[in-house]
């Protein structure tokens, strides 16, 4: 699913996967986020729904990046998420991830961490989120 490259002794980097439809962990504007990608009517263009961490394994829709080209350099898929590891309630914009996937997200966001959710900077406060996006 991902391919680590050695860039530095203390940090792993990953070759981004091509944009494709479905849920994924993605680097969006430099931050690792849960995202849902869907293709638009135009060839090679996608819409990304970006989710914020709410509580333990609950994520809610935060913002949408409409109609971007798959070559967009600020959006990179790091790892696809199989459907059996999550539950998506589309009507209220809520995603429930299994615990292992939440820990995986924490490790992708900070390879030097122990992978525990709640790492400072991984799941920002609403005020911090607004200032970044």
């Amino acid at each position: 699913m991902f391919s680590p490259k050695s860039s530095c002794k203390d940090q792993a980097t990953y070759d981004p996967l091509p944009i494709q439809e479905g849920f994924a962990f993605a680097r969006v504007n430099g931050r690792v986020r849960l995202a849902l990608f869907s293709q638009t009517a135009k060839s090679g263009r996608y819409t990304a729904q970006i989710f914020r961490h709410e509580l333990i394994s609950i994520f809610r829709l935060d913002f949408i990046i409409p109609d971007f080209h798959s070559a967009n350099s600020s959006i990179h898929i790091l790892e696809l998420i199989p459907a059996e590891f999550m539950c998506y309630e589309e009507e209220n914009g809520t995603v429930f991830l299994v615990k292992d996937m939440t820990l995986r997200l924490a490790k992708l966001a900070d390879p030097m961490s122990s992978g525990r959710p709640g790492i400072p900077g991984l799941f920002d406060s609403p005020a911090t989120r607004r200032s970044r996006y």
Side-chain angles (χ1 to χ4, degrees):
M1 289 202 166
F2 61 90
S3 58
K5 294 190 318 189
S6 59
S7 64
C8 157
K9 179 180 172 187
D10 297 325
Q11 185 177 10
T13 60
Y14 300 91
D15 288 328
L17 300 171
I19 301 283
Q20 49 192 293
E21 291 188 302
F23 277 94
F25 295 136
R27 189 167 301 280
V28 180
N29 298 327
R31 303 199 25 105
V32 177
R33 305 292 296 262
L34 174 63
L36 171 59
F37 295 95
S38 56
Q39 193 163 17
T40 64
K42 300 175 190 172
S43 178
R45 300 194 71 81
Y46 291 83
T47 295
Q49 296 178 35
I50 309 302
F51 294 81
R52 73 179 179 277
H53 182 247
E54 283 280 313
L55 179 67
I56 305 172
S57 62
I58 302 171
F59 294 77
R60 296 207 193 276
L61 182 62
D62 193 14
F63 61 94
I64 296 173
I65 302 171
D67 196 36
F68 70 90
H69 192 274
S70 59
N72 184 326
S73 63
S74 66
I75 301 172
H76 303 283
I77 291 181
L78 301 175
E79 187 172 322
L80 300 173
I81 302 173
E84 60 268 18
F85 294 119
M86 48 163 275
C87 177
Y88 178 41
E89 294 181 352
E90 189 172 1
E91 64 278 358
N92 62 14
T94 304
V95 178
F96 300 90
L97 286 181
V98 297
K99 181 180 177 183
D100 290 345
M101 294 308 287
T102 304
L103 294 173
R104 181 77 188 125
L105 174 61
K107 287 179 183 177
L108 285 170
D110 184 3
M112 297 306 297
S113 77
S114 64
R116 290 173 287 132
I119 300 164
L122 175 59
F123 304 113
D124 289 340
S125 69
T128 304
R129 256 194 322 276
R130 281 192 293 274
S131 69
R132 291 183 187 217
Y133 303 107

